[in-house]
Amino acid sequence: MVPTNGSSRDQPESSVNIDAMNQAGWPVKRRSLLPVFLATILIGSALIYSFGRVGLASAAQETVQAILSLVGLGESSQVVEATTRFFEQGWPPMIASEQETSRIENFERGSLPWFSYIEKREVPAISVEFVDGTVVEREVTEVKEVLVKPVGYLQRVAWLMWETLEIALWGTIMAIVCGFPLGMLGSRRITKTGPLVSLARSVCSLSRAIPELISALFFVLLFGFGPAAGVLALGLHSAGFLGKFFADDIDNTKPGPSEALSSSGVGRIDVFLHALLPQVLPQYLAYVQYILERNVRAATVLGIVGAGGIGVELMGKWHNFQFGHATTVLIAIFLTVVTLEAISQTLRMKWIQD
């Protein structure tokens, strides 16, 4: 209640409210806003400095210039030109593959692959000749014979995408195999030895702290280029997540069922199977589903450092400005992630209901 006597009318409204709340029994204290004001100025200044330092100021300026260029109020923009070039060269997606017949080993014209055919292409080239003792370069047109497979590149992308899924699947399996014991050792509800719990949680933190790309570089150095390095990198990184999630969920379960079984003489394994696991199993399935989806996305990137998968193909096409092929790869990644999410959601709901 706010006092209404004459002396309170001369005080600021905020002081009146605080006094009234104190009189009503609320432990409210009057605080100065100066530290908050100074902290706001300090944080705001740091953010403004960092905004320009990381290049966001330049990016914002180029974005405004692009918008003005699109509405006809500004000069040409680098952003608009790059976007236009990508969509002009990146669409439609390339699904056919071509290969010069002269580079195909033991090529036989009478036994072409299914739906394949031979075409001749005119390719600009440079002819070097010696005229009167000097080197003369001339632009000429060469005719090359190529074998065209109508869906050859689509088959290659599908095969690489399948390899990417294999990397993600085995990385997830490795994460479960390593993360489950780490979760059991890191749970204070199961492991009664404090140092062992700290050690298990430290291992989980260490594996999470190392990014997949960094560990993939290390495994490529050890085992060479290929999917094995990607599997090990994903498994090592994901095991830290699963170990932490598994341990935290067990520690957050209701103690009643497990204490009741323990007091009746039931062993630890049976207590885990009949009292703890039913409480955490839906969350465990959700974690595994999330890690699998995450590994699929991560596996597409690991190819950049030579760890196999479709990332190698995407990087090569992108660097060679073959945006039509890059668009095919990006569409394949998008469809794979969406399809996998739909399947995993359906299976998870079915498992939870069962």
XYZ file of all heavy atoms in Angstrom, residues 52-149:
765
model
N 33.102 -3.834 -35.983
C 33.950 -3.456 -37.107
C 35.146 -4.375 -37.274
O 35.602 -4.624 -38.391
N 35.656 -4.900 -36.149
C 36.850 -5.738 -36.195
C 36.598 -7.050 -36.939
O 37.466 -7.537 -37.651
C 37.313 -6.022 -34.765
C 38.527 -6.906 -34.664
C 38.924 -7.087 -33.212
N 39.932 -8.112 -33.061
C 41.225 -7.940 -33.280
N 41.657 -6.752 -33.655
N 42.069 -8.924 -33.136
N 35.408 -7.643 -36.752
C 35.125 -8.924 -37.415
C 34.544 -8.748 -38.814
O 34.138 -9.724 -39.447
C 34.145 -9.771 -36.561
C 34.744 -10.090 -35.213
C 32.803 -9.080 -36.403
N 34.487 -7.498 -39.298
C 34.068 -7.270 -40.674
C 32.580 -7.100 -40.877
O 32.126 -7.001 -42.021
N 31.800 -7.071 -39.775
C 30.357 -6.931 -39.942
C 29.969 -5.542 -40.433
O 28.955 -5.390 -41.122
C 29.654 -7.232 -38.611
C 29.670 -8.702 -38.180
C 29.013 -8.869 -36.824
C 28.948 -9.562 -39.221
N 30.780 -4.527 -40.109
C 30.478 -3.178 -40.587
C 30.590 -3.122 -42.106
O 29.721 -2.564 -42.792
C 31.433 -2.175 -39.934
N 31.656 -3.739 -42.647
C 31.820 -3.771 -44.096
C 30.719 -4.590 -44.758
O 30.198 -4.215 -45.818
C 33.191 -4.352 -44.441
O 33.336 -4.476 -45.842
N 30.359 -5.728 -44.107
C 29.294 -6.569 -44.671
C 27.966 -5.833 -44.678
O 27.192 -5.931 -45.641
C 29.173 -7.860 -43.859
N 27.696 -5.072 -43.614
C 26.440 -4.301 -43.567
C 26.435 -3.227 -44.646
O 25.404 -2.987 -45.302
C 26.281 -3.682 -42.180
N 27.592 -2.601 -44.863
C 27.674 -1.566 -45.902
C 27.447 -2.164 -47.286
O 26.726 -1.598 -48.117
C 29.046 -0.893 -45.827
C 29.216 0.246 -46.816
C 30.588 0.904 -46.709
O 31.406 0.483 -45.874
N 30.835 1.909 -47.517
N 28.052 -3.341 -47.534
C 27.852 -3.986 -48.836
C 26.416 -4.457 -49.016
O 25.889 -4.437 -50.128
C 28.814 -5.166 -48.951
C 30.273 -4.751 -49.047
C 31.204 -5.940 -49.119
O 30.693 -7.075 -49.040
O 32.421 -5.740 -49.258
N 25.774 -4.879 -47.918
C 24.372 -5.300 -48.010
C 23.464 -4.126 -48.371
O 22.570 -4.240 -49.223
C 23.920 -5.914 -46.678
O 24.777 -7.026 -46.352
C 22.490 -6.401 -46.763
N 23.717 -2.969 -47.732
C 22.924 -1.775 -48.054
C 23.156 -1.369 -49.503
O 22.209 -1.015 -50.236
C 23.305 -0.634 -47.086
C 22.648 0.669 -47.537
C 22.893 -0.977 -45.669
N 24.419 -1.463 -49.949
C 24.722 -1.118 -51.337
C 24.027 -2.074 -52.302
O 23.538 -1.664 -53.363
C 26.236 -1.172 -51.555
C 26.662 -0.733 -52.955
C 28.169 -0.768 -53.122
O 28.901 -0.961 -52.150
N 28.638 -0.575 -54.354
N 23.940 -3.355 -51.917
C 23.256 -4.338 -52.768
C 21.768 -4.035 -52.857
O 21.160 -4.131 -53.931
C 23.488 -5.744 -52.210
N 21.161 -3.670 -51.728
C 19.721 -3.345 -51.736
C 19.454 -2.118 -52.606
O 18.509 -2.092 -53.412
C 19.233 -3.126 -50.293
C 19.338 -4.428 -49.501
C 17.802 -2.613 -50.287
C 19.023 -4.264 -48.032
N 20.315 -1.086 -52.461
C 20.143 0.109 -53.281
C 20.332 -0.209 -54.756
O 19.630 0.339 -55.622
C 21.147 1.181 -52.839
C 20.935 1.756 -51.439
C 22.031 2.739 -51.093
C 19.577 2.430 -51.336
N 21.275 -1.134 -55.063
C 21.495 -1.517 -56.453
C 20.289 -2.260 -57.027
O 19.920 -2.061 -58.184
C 22.751 -2.383 -56.554
O 22.935 -2.845 -57.877
N 19.666 -3.096 -56.190
C 18.511 -3.867 -56.660
C 17.317 -2.964 -56.974
O 16.553 -3.233 -57.904
C 18.129 -4.910 -55.603
C 19.083 -6.112 -55.471
C 18.657 -7.003 -54.315
C 19.122 -6.914 -56.769
N 17.145 -1.885 -56.199
C 16.000 -0.989 -56.431
C 16.352 0.141 -57.378
O 15.539 1.045 -57.600
C 15.488 -0.420 -55.088
C 15.005 -1.527 -54.184
C 16.576 0.397 -54.390
N 17.578 0.103 -57.953
C 17.954 1.103 -58.948
C 18.412 2.415 -58.387
O 18.434 3.419 -59.108
N 18.806 2.461 -57.122
C 19.229 3.726 -56.508
C 20.729 3.771 -56.246
O 21.216 4.736 -55.662
C 18.485 3.945 -55.176
C 16.967 4.067 -55.278
C 16.360 4.223 -53.892
C 16.591 5.261 -56.164
N 21.467 2.769 -56.657
C 22.908 2.753 -56.381
C 23.671 2.111 -57.518
O 23.094 1.638 -58.511
N 24.993 2.100 -57.354
C 25.856 1.492 -58.365
C 25.839 -0.027 -58.221
O 25.199 -0.577 -57.319
C 27.280 2.028 -58.201
C 27.396 3.540 -58.374
C 28.804 4.038 -58.146
O 29.648 3.210 -57.714
O 29.054 5.230 -58.385
N 26.538 -0.676 -59.132
C 26.578 -2.139 -59.100
C 27.228 -2.623 -57.805
O 28.125 -1.980 -57.261
C 27.368 -2.670 -60.297
O 28.687 -2.192 -60.258
N 26.762 -3.745 -57.322
C 27.231 -4.286 -56.045
C 27.925 -5.617 -56.265
O 27.496 -6.444 -57.086
C 26.046 -4.467 -55.093
O 26.415 -5.250 -53.988
N 29.005 -5.832 -55.515
C 29.707 -7.106 -55.585
C 28.830 -8.250 -55.108
O 28.868 -9.363 -55.652
C 30.985 -7.033 -54.738
C 31.733 -8.346 -54.648
C 32.883 -8.279 -53.666
O 33.220 -7.200 -53.177
N 33.468 -9.429 -53.374
N 28.009 -7.983 -54.082
C 27.126 -9.024 -53.545
C 26.108 -9.445 -54.600
O 25.856 -10.641 -54.813
C 26.427 -8.505 -52.274
C 25.424 -9.527 -51.762
C 27.450 -8.165 -51.201
N 25.522 -8.463 -55.289
C 24.518 -8.780 -56.314
C 25.170 -9.530 -57.476
O 24.605 -10.511 -57.987
C 23.853 -7.485 -56.806
C 22.895 -7.782 -57.958
C 23.113 -6.803 -55.663
N 26.361 -9.089 -57.891
C 27.032 -9.757 -59.014
C 27.388 -11.201 -58.668
O 27.203 -12.112 -59.482
C 28.294 -8.977 -59.376
C 28.007 -7.603 -59.980
C 29.278 -6.821 -60.251
O 30.358 -7.336 -59.896
O 29.183 -5.706 -60.808
N 27.902 -11.434 -57.443
C 28.270 -12.797 -57.051
C 27.041 -13.690 -56.944
O 27.052 -14.850 -57.371
C 29.024 -12.765 -55.727
N 25.949 -13.131 -56.359
C 24.718 -13.921 -56.228
C 24.142 -14.250 -57.601
O 23.709 -15.379 -57.858
C 23.693 -13.147 -55.390
O 24.277 -12.771 -54.140
C 22.463 -13.997 -55.141
N 24.146 -13.264 -58.480
C 23.621 -13.486 -59.840
C 24.446 -14.531 -60.581
O 23.900 -15.413 -61.259
C 23.623 -12.161 -60.618
O 22.871 -11.188 -59.899
C 23.020 -12.353 -61.994
N 25.774 -14.443 -60.434
C 26.637 -15.409 -61.129
C 26.408 -16.820 -60.621
O 26.361 -17.779 -61.402
C 28.105 -15.028 -60.933
C 29.064 -15.937 -61.696
C 30.480 -15.482 -61.549
N 30.904 -15.518 -60.156
C 32.135 -15.238 -59.759
N 33.038 -14.885 -60.628
N 32.439 -15.285 -58.473
N 26.192 -16.959 -59.286
C 25.967 -18.298 -58.741
C 24.666 -18.901 -59.277
O 24.632 -20.066 -59.692
C 25.917 -18.238 -57.214
C 25.553 -19.556 -56.580
C 26.487 -20.574 -56.472
C 24.265 -19.791 -56.132
C 26.151 -21.791 -55.920
C 23.921 -21.001 -55.566
C 24.863 -22.005 -55.466
N 23.593 -18.092 -59.278
C 22.312 -18.653 -59.717
C 22.292 -18.873 -61.234
O 21.616 -19.781 -61.717
C 21.159 -17.725 -59.297
C 20.802 -17.870 -57.848
C 21.190 -16.926 -56.929
C 20.099 -18.977 -57.402
C 20.880 -17.060 -55.589
C 19.784 -19.127 -56.068
C 20.169 -18.163 -55.156
N 23.006 -18.035 -61.983
C 23.042 -18.246 -63.435
C 23.818 -19.505 -63.799
O 23.426 -20.253 -64.694
C 23.673 -17.027 -64.113
C 22.764 -15.815 -64.153
C 23.430 -14.626 -64.827
O 24.654 -14.707 -65.101
O 22.739 -13.623 -65.066
N 24.942 -19.724 -63.103
C 25.784 -20.884 -63.422
C 25.413 -22.118 -62.604
O 25.796 -23.229 -62.955
C 27.251 -20.534 -63.175
C 27.755 -19.376 -64.012
C 29.209 -19.055 -63.742
O 29.897 -19.793 -63.046
N 29.684 -17.952 -64.294
N 24.711 -21.914 -61.492
C 24.402 -23.037 -60.602
C 23.059 -23.680 -60.864
O 22.710 -24.671 -60.210
N 22.291 -23.112 -61.804
C 20.988 -23.696 -62.104
C 20.816 -23.862 -63.593
O 21.177 -22.947 -64.326
C 19.870 -22.798 -61.530
C 18.573 -23.519 -61.458
C 17.568 -23.492 -62.384
C 18.152 -24.390 -60.420
N 16.544 -24.282 -61.992
C 16.864 -24.852 -60.783
C 18.718 -24.836 -59.241
C 16.159 -25.738 -59.977
C 18.011 -25.689 -58.448
C 16.749 -26.130 -58.816
N 20.358 -24.964 -64.084
C 19.865 -26.129 -63.339
C 21.003 -26.989 -62.797
O 22.134 -26.902 -63.305
C 19.059 -26.892 -64.406
C 19.721 -26.550 -65.686
C 20.191 -25.140 -65.551
N 20.726 -27.823 -61.837
C 21.753 -28.718 -61.292
C 22.238 -29.693 -62.359
O 21.470 -30.133 -63.218
C 21.032 -29.462 -60.156
C 19.842 -28.639 -59.848
C 19.448 -27.947 -61.109
N 23.530 -30.013 -62.315
C 24.118 -30.931 -63.278
C 23.949 -32.367 -62.787
O 24.314 -32.695 -61.655
C 25.593 -30.616 -63.458
C 25.869 -29.232 -64.039
S 25.185 -29.020 -65.699
C 26.154 -30.228 -66.586
N 23.373 -33.193 -63.636
C 23.216 -34.600 -63.266
C 23.951 -35.518 -64.240
O 24.111 -36.700 -63.974
C 21.729 -34.999 -63.199
C 21.060 -34.800 -64.549
C 21.011 -34.213 -62.117
C 19.632 -35.309 -64.589
N 24.374 -34.968 -65.377
C 25.090 -35.782 -66.372
C 26.593 -35.652 -66.155
O 27.081 -34.683 -65.583
C 24.726 -35.330 -67.786
N 27.311 -36.646 -66.608
C 28.774 -36.613 -66.548
C 29.335 -36.844 -67.943
O 28.734 -37.529 -68.767
C 29.298 -37.676 -65.574
O 28.996 -38.973 -66.065
N 30.488 -36.218 -68.180
C 31.152 -36.358 -69.470
C 32.610 -36.728 -69.243
O 33.233 -36.260 -68.291
C 31.067 -35.046 -70.265
C 29.652 -34.626 -70.606
C 29.627 -33.322 -71.391
O 30.725 -32.755 -71.575
O 28.546 -32.895 -71.796
N 33.135 -37.549 -70.132
C 34.534 -37.952 -70.047
C 35.065 -38.163 -71.452
O 34.391 -38.788 -72.296
C 34.677 -39.245 -69.230
C 36.122 -39.624 -68.964
C 36.224 -40.861 -68.090
O 35.229 -41.554 -67.856
N 37.421 -41.155 -67.617
N 36.225 -37.614 -71.714
C 36.816 -37.791 -73.051
C 37.099 -39.267 -73.298
O 37.666 -39.955 -72.439
C 38.114 -36.989 -73.160
C 37.902 -35.488 -73.143
C 39.203 -34.753 -73.368
O 40.105 -35.324 -74.028
O 39.323 -33.617 -72.889
N 36.696 -39.716 -74.478
C 36.897 -41.132 -74.795
C 38.382 -41.488 -74.890
O 38.772 -42.626 -74.642
C 36.209 -41.471 -76.119
O 36.700 -40.580 -77.139
C 34.693 -41.311 -76.005
N 39.223 -40.485 -75.239
C 40.663 -40.760 -75.362
C 41.301 -41.041 -74.004
O 42.390 -41.599 -73.941
C 41.374 -39.577 -76.022
O 41.158 -38.402 -75.255
N 40.604 -40.641 -72.898
C 41.156 -40.850 -71.563
C 40.551 -42.066 -70.858
O 40.847 -42.331 -69.700
C 40.926 -39.610 -70.699
C 41.638 -38.374 -71.233
C 41.494 -37.213 -70.286
N 42.230 -36.041 -70.767
C 42.314 -34.889 -70.111
N 41.680 -34.761 -68.946
N 43.001 -33.886 -70.613
N 39.661 -42.780 -71.577
C 39.052 -43.976 -70.992
C 39.900 -45.185 -71.393
O 40.108 -45.446 -72.580
C 37.596 -44.149 -71.470
C 36.772 -42.923 -71.075
C 36.982 -45.414 -70.873
C 35.338 -42.969 -71.588
N 40.361 -45.889 -70.386
C 41.215 -47.049 -70.648
C 40.388 -48.189 -71.243
O 39.304 -48.499 -70.727
C 41.873 -47.502 -69.342
C 42.941 -48.563 -69.534
C 43.639 -48.901 -68.222
O 43.291 -48.266 -67.199
O 44.505 -49.778 -68.225
N 40.909 -48.786 -72.308
C 40.255 -49.916 -72.983
C 38.822 -49.561 -73.406
O 37.879 -50.332 -73.198
C 40.246 -51.157 -72.093
C 41.640 -51.605 -71.711
O 42.584 -51.498 -72.512
N 41.787 -52.104 -70.482
N 38.666 -48.357 -73.976
C 37.338 -47.914 -74.392
C 36.876 -48.699 -75.616
O 37.610 -48.845 -76.590
C 37.377 -46.426 -74.729
C 36.077 -45.900 -75.224
C 34.986 -45.786 -74.374
C 35.932 -45.524 -76.562
C 33.783 -45.296 -74.842
C 34.726 -45.032 -77.023
C 33.642 -44.916 -76.164
N 35.646 -49.204 -75.575
C 35.072 -49.976 -76.678
C 33.767 -49.306 -77.100
O 32.847 -49.160 -76.297
C 34.808 -51.428 -76.252
C 36.076 -52.192 -75.881
C 35.779 -53.636 -75.487
O 34.581 -54.009 -75.588
O 36.701 -54.350 -75.097
N 33.720 -48.896 -78.327
C 32.532 -48.217 -78.829
C 31.317 -49.124 -78.904
O 30.172 -48.674 -78.832
C 32.804 -47.657 -80.233
C 33.895 -46.609 -80.233
C 34.182 -46.129 -81.656
N 35.220 -45.129 -81.648
C 35.005 -43.840 -81.438
N 33.759 -43.406 -81.260
N 35.986 -43.002 -81.439
N 31.562 -50.411 -79.062
C 30.434 -51.320 -79.219
C 29.768 -51.729 -77.927
O 28.703 -52.356 -77.949
N 30.374 -51.395 -76.797
C 29.793 -51.801 -75.509
C 29.760 -50.609 -74.548
O 30.464 -50.561 -73.546
C 30.606 -52.950 -74.905
O 31.949 -52.530 -74.702
N 28.932 -49.640 -74.919
C 28.774 -48.461 -74.066
C 27.913 -48.796 -72.850
O 27.057 -49.692 -72.899
C 28.125 -47.327 -74.858
C 28.895 -46.807 -76.087
C 28.101 -45.695 -76.746
C 30.275 -46.337 -75.697
N 28.110 -48.089 -71.751
C 27.217 -48.283 -70.598
C 25.772 -47.921 -70.953
O 25.511 -47.207 -71.922
C 27.793 -47.320 -69.554
C 29.212 -47.107 -69.961
C 29.218 -47.184 -71.454
N 24.847 -48.396 -70.152
C 23.431 -48.155 -70.413
C 23.135 -46.665 -70.502
O 23.602 -45.870 -69.693
C 22.571 -48.775 -69.312
C 22.522 -50.275 -69.394
C 23.214 -51.070 -70.256
C 21.732 -51.136 -68.588
N 22.920 -52.382 -70.049
C 22.009 -52.467 -69.028
C 20.835 -50.952 -67.545
C 21.414 -53.578 -68.455
C 20.232 -52.055 -66.968
C 20.521 -53.363 -67.417
N 22.302 -46.290 -71.481
C 21.812 -44.929 -71.711
C 22.940 -43.936 -72.043
O 22.711 -42.732 -72.067
C 21.029 -44.397 -70.494
C 19.949 -45.326 -70.015
C 20.054 -45.974 -68.799
C 18.835 -45.557 -70.809
C 19.058 -46.828 -68.365
C 17.828 -46.408 -70.376
C 17.940 -47.059 -69.154
N 24.160 -44.425 -72.251
C 25.267 -43.528 -72.578
C 25.349 -43.340 -74.084
O 24.879 -44.166 -74.870
C 26.592 -44.100 -72.047
O 26.528 -44.260 -70.653
N 25.962 -42.245 -74.489
C 26.138 -41.973 -75.910
C 27.387 -41.109 -76.090
O 27.907 -40.521 -75.124
C 24.907 -41.283 -76.517
C 24.485 -40.032 -75.793
C 24.981 -38.785 -76.159
C 23.581 -40.110 -74.724
C 24.595 -37.645 -75.494
C 23.191 -38.973 -74.050
C 23.690 -37.747 -74.441
O 23.307 -36.605 -73.769
N 27.836 -41.024 -77.335
C 29.067 -40.297 -77.656
C 28.699 -39.012 -78.382
O 27.855 -39.009 -79.281
C 30.002 -41.161 -78.520
C 30.432 -42.409 -77.743
C 31.229 -40.365 -78.952
C 31.257 -43.383 -78.575
N 29.336 -37.908 -77.966
C 29.133 -36.621 -78.621
C 30.484 -36.008 -78.937
O 31.492 -36.331 -78.301
C 28.335 -35.658 -77.720
C 26.853 -35.954 -77.666
C 26.101 -34.856 -76.945
O 26.770 -33.982 -76.348
O 24.872 -34.860 -76.987
N 30.476 -35.108 -79.895
C 31.687 -34.365 -80.227
C 31.522 -32.925 -79.770
O 30.497 -32.302 -80.009
C 31.950 -34.418 -81.737
C 32.328 -35.826 -82.222
C 32.689 -35.830 -83.691
C 33.108 -37.243 -84.129
N 33.473 -37.291 -85.563
N 32.542 -32.406 -79.121
C 32.500 -31.053 -78.564
C 33.636 -30.221 -79.137
O 34.767 -30.709 -79.274
C 32.618 -31.107 -77.041
C 31.489 -31.886 -76.381
C 30.187 -31.073 -76.493
N 29.043 -31.893 -76.140
C 28.663 -32.131 -74.884
N 29.358 -31.618 -73.901
N 27.599 -32.861 -74.632
N 33.334 -28.972 -79.433
C 34.355 -28.027 -79.875
C 34.878 -27.279 -78.657
O 34.104 -26.646 -77.919
C 33.775 -27.054 -80.895
C 33.362 -27.731 -82.195
C 32.853 -26.732 -83.222
O 32.659 -25.555 -82.819
O 32.662 -27.112 -84.382
N 36.176 -27.389 -78.457
C 36.807 -26.803 -77.272
C 37.865 -25.806 -77.716
O 38.722 -26.134 -78.545
C 37.456 -27.906 -76.401
C 38.084 -27.284 -75.154
C 36.425 -28.954 -76.022
N 37.819 -24.548 -77.207
C 38.878 -23.581 -77.567
C 40.212 -24.000 -76.962
O 40.271 -24.476 -75.825
C 38.366 -22.267 -76.964
C 37.417 -22.671 -75.888
C 36.801 -23.959 -76.329
N 41.290 -23.813 -77.733
C 42.615 -24.203 -77.266
C 43.640 -23.231 -77.849
O 43.312 -22.369 -78.684
C 42.935 -25.638 -77.684
N 44.868 -23.348 -77.385
C 45.970 -22.500 -77.839
C 46.957 -23.372 -78.611
O 47.436 -24.392 -78.093
C 46.671 -21.816 -76.657
C 45.679 -20.957 -75.863
C 47.832 -20.965 -77.156
C 45.112 -19.800 -76.640
N 47.244 -22.973 -79.847
C 48.207 -23.688 -80.680
C 49.530 -22.922 -80.659
O 49.568 -21.698 -80.855
C 47.692 -23.811 -82.122
O 48.680 -24.375 -82.941
N 50.612 -23.642 -80.395
C 51.942 -23.035 -80.333
C 52.746 -23.496 -81.556
O 52.880 -24.700 -81.783
C 52.659 -23.430 -79.029
C 54.057 -22.791 -78.984
C 51.839 -23.006 -77.819
N 53.221 -22.525 -82.321
C 53.990 -22.829 -83.531
C 55.269 -21.992 -83.543
O 55.337 -20.913 -82.940
C 53.171 -22.532 -84.793
C 51.890 -23.353 -84.899
C 51.085 -22.973 -86.138
O 51.526 -22.042 -86.841
O 50.040 -23.598 -86.363
N 56.285 -22.496 -84.262
C 57.541 -21.761 -84.453
C 57.545 -21.180 -85.866
O 57.487 -21.927 -86.851
C 58.744 -22.681 -84.258
C 58.952 -23.094 -82.817
C 58.404 -24.279 -82.347
C 59.690 -22.292 -81.953
C 58.589 -24.665 -81.028
C 59.877 -22.679 -80.639
C 59.327 -23.857 -80.170
N 57.542 -19.889 -85.965
C 57.567 -19.191 -87.255
C 58.785 -18.281 -87.278
O 58.887 -17.343 -86.467
C 56.277 -18.375 -87.451
C 56.330 -17.632 -88.791
C 55.050 -19.277 -87.374
N 59.679 -18.586 -88.212
C 60.908 -17.792 -88.365
C 61.678 -17.676 -87.062
O 62.188 -16.609 -86.683
C 60.587 -16.380 -88.895
C 59.945 -16.438 -90.279
O 60.228 -17.416 -91.004
O 59.164 -15.526 -90.600
N 61.699 -18.811 -86.311
C 62.486 -18.854 -85.091
C 61.819 -18.248 -83.885
O 62.422 -18.155 -82.812
N 60.578 -17.823 -84.003
C 59.869 -17.254 -82.851
C 58.641 -18.102 -82.525
O 58.082 -18.788 -83.399
C 59.413 -15.820 -83.138
O 58.568 -15.824 -84.287
C 60.604 -14.909 -83.374
N 58.236 -18.055 -81.282
C 57.075 -18.812 -80.826
C 55.822 -17.984 -81.064
O 55.720 -16.830 -80.619
C 57.198 -19.159 -79.325
C 55.954 -19.905 -78.850
C 58.455 -19.984 -79.084
N 54.859 -18.561 -81.761
C 53.603 -17.879 -82.075
C 52.453 -18.691 -81.502
O 52.332 -19.889 -81.761
C 53.420 -17.711 -83.600
C 52.072 -17.036 -83.889
C 54.566 -16.932 -84.195
N 51.634 -18.032 -80.681
C 50.458 -18.686 -80.081
C 49.210 -18.252 -80.825
O 48.994 -17.060 -81.067
C 50.346 -18.325 -78.600
C 51.499 -18.842 -77.745
C 51.311 -18.530 -76.275
O 50.348 -17.799 -75.962
O 52.111 -19.013 -75.464
N 48.379 -19.217 -81.191
C 47.141 -18.934 -81.910
C 45.970 -19.635 -81.227
O 46.115 -20.744 -80.719
C 47.250 -19.409 -83.360
C 48.297 -18.662 -84.182
C 48.396 -19.257 -85.574
N 49.402 -18.569 -86.374
C 49.794 -18.957 -87.576
N 49.251 -20.046 -88.113
N 50.711 -18.271 -88.241
N 44.847 -18.950 -81.230
C 43.614 -19.548 -80.689
C 42.988 -20.433 -81.755
O 42.718 -19.977 -82.866
C 42.637 -18.460 -80.264
C 43.133 -17.633 -79.090
C 42.083 -16.636 -78.629
O 41.021 -16.578 -79.275
O 42.340 -15.935 -77.645
N 42.795 -21.687 -81.423
C 42.205 -22.649 -82.356
C 41.038 -23.348 -81.678
O 40.816 -23.191 -80.466
C 43.246 -23.698 -82.817
C 44.376 -23.029 -83.572
C 43.775 -24.456 -81.610
N 40.307 -24.098 -82.424
C 39.180 -24.876 -81.895
C 39.442 -26.352 -82.139
O 39.616 -26.772 -83.297
C 37.859 -24.455 -82.564
O 37.641 -23.056 -82.337
C 36.697 -25.250 -82.004
N 39.501 -27.101 -81.049
C 39.723 -28.537 -81.153
C 38.396 -29.278 -81.001
O 37.519 -28.836 -80.258
C 40.701 -29.017 -80.073
C 42.108 -28.459 -80.230
C 43.029 -28.998 -79.163
O 42.517 -29.685 -78.238
O 44.236 -28.729 -79.245
N 38.279 -30.382 -81.673
C 37.090 -31.224 -81.579
C 37.436 -32.457 -80.749
O 38.369 -33.200 -81.092
C 36.580 -31.631 -82.967
C 35.358 -32.549 -82.834
C 36.234 -30.404 -83.800
N 36.725 -32.616 -79.649
C 36.969 -33.758 -78.771
C 35.723 -34.632 -78.701
O 34.602 -34.149 -78.783
C 37.339 -33.286 -77.361
C 38.659 -32.534 -77.300
C 39.012 -32.162 -75.881
C 40.364 -31.439 -75.846
N 40.726 -31.065 -74.464
N 35.998 -35.893 -78.544
C 34.900 -36.870 -78.451
C 34.707 -37.234 -76.984
O 35.672 -37.601 -76.304
C 35.251 -38.109 -79.264
C 34.104 -39.068 -79.455
C 34.544 -40.257 -80.298
O 35.389 -41.035 -79.800
O 34.055 -40.404 -81.419
N 33.474 -37.108 -76.500
C 33.207 -37.370 -75.086
C 32.109 -38.422 -74.938
O 31.216 -38.537 -75.796
C 32.778 -36.086 -74.340
C 33.892 -35.067 -74.327
C 31.513 -35.496 -74.944
N 32.224 -39.192 -73.882
C 31.185 -40.165 -73.535
C 30.273 -39.516 -72.500
O 30.721 -39.108 -71.414
C 31.814 -41.427 -72.943
C 30.831 -42.484 -72.424
C 30.011 -43.073 -73.577
C 31.569 -43.593 -71.674
N 29.005 -39.391 -72.839
C 28.032 -38.719 -71.978
C 27.174 -39.765 -71.268
O 26.577 -40.628 -71.913
C 27.123 -37.773 -72.796
C 26.112 -37.083 -71.880
C 27.955 -36.753 -73.547
N 27.158 -39.666 -69.925
C 26.253 -40.499 -69.119
C 25.166 -39.584 -68.575
O 25.454 -38.693 -67.774
C 27.014 -41.168 -67.981
C 28.102 -42.121 -68.451
C 28.835 -42.728 -67.268
C 29.933 -43.675 -67.741
N 30.703 -44.255 -66.609
